[in-house]
Amino acid sequence: MSALVLFTAKSLRTASPRPFGASIVHTKTGALLLRALNRVAQDMDPSSHAEVRAIRLATRRLKQLSLAGYTLYTTCEPCPMCMSAALWAGVDRVVYGATIEDANRHCRQIQIPATEVATRSDMKCTVEGPLLRDECYALFTHPAMLKAFRLWPTRKRS
């Protein structure tokens, strides 16, 4: 997770800062398969969340639909769409940093915990988190990200 936070933090020094990063790691060996960032605005695609992108890229790279044997790490608790994608992909485990509530302080969120999505499925997946919550939440509160949030169409409105 620390490496994912550092990878995601690099975006804070760009014109398109993003606090949402995800990685796919082999569950047994810990070998990194790939990392991805949220690209909703860049792709003009509301489904281009970091987790969904990582899953899409991983299945293409492996040339298979199943990610059994892999763990999805994410800087923020997966939304219901992302958690559903992880379940459909068959990942063994999802590990997240910041919580949906943390993200909701800055941008709109669907307030259904990842554990609830997993529990209501007949697909097996362990959900763990928050892990390194403070480090992951710091991605949301970085000055460059706070400035960027003001421009997001999905920003939290008072």
Side-chain angles (χ1 to χ4, degrees):
M1 183 67 86
S2 293
L4 178 59
V5 171
L6 292 173
F7 169 79
T8 307
K10 289 179 185 176
S11 81
L12 300 174
R13 298 187 299 268
T14 71
S16 300
R18 290 157 282 175
F20 300 101
S23 60
I24 305 283
V25 174
H26 193 274
T27 300
K28 289 185 180 173
T29 67
L32 174 68
L33 181 61
L34 58 81
R35 294 184 185 114
L37 294 172
N38 173 305
R39 285 188 51 91
V40 169
Q42 293 82 355
D43 295 347
M44 296 303 287
D45 178 356
S47 71
S48 200
H49 291 197
E51 300 92 336
V52 171
R53 289 191 67 242
I55 290 166
R56 288 174 179 161
L57 293 167
T59 55
R60 284 187 198 129
R61 181 170 291 175
L62 296 171
K63 295 181 177 30
Q64 62 187 36
L65 291 175
S66 175
L67 291 179
Y70 288 88
T71 296
L72 171 66
Y73 287 86
T74 179
T75 58
C76 187
E77 183 176 1
C79 72
M81 176 185 68
C82 292
M83 189 62 216
S84 295
L87 290 167
W88 285 114
V91 298
D92 298 339
R93 183 171 67 134
V94 171
V95 181
Y96 67 88
T99 65
I100 288 174
E101 292 80 15
D102 294 333
N104 192 233
R105 292 185 190 122
H106 306 282
C107 54
R108 294 179 297 167
Q109 294 292 311
I110 298 172
Q111 306 261 342
I112 301 172
T115 52
E116 183 175 341
V117 176
T119 300
R120 296 179 73 173
S121 165
D122 62 357
M123 297 169 254
K124 301 274 188 216
C125 180
T126 302
V127 178
E128 299 174 11
L131 175 69
L132 300 182
R133 181 179 183 180
D134 291 342
E135 292 87 337
C136 290
Y137 185 62
L139 297 166
F140 288 82
T141 59
H142 185 279
M145 195 63 243
L146 292 174
K147 181 179 177 184
F149 276 133
R150 290 192 289 273
L151 304 175
W152 281 26
T154 59
R155 72 184 176 273
K156 184 75 176 183
R157 300 182 203 289
S158 305

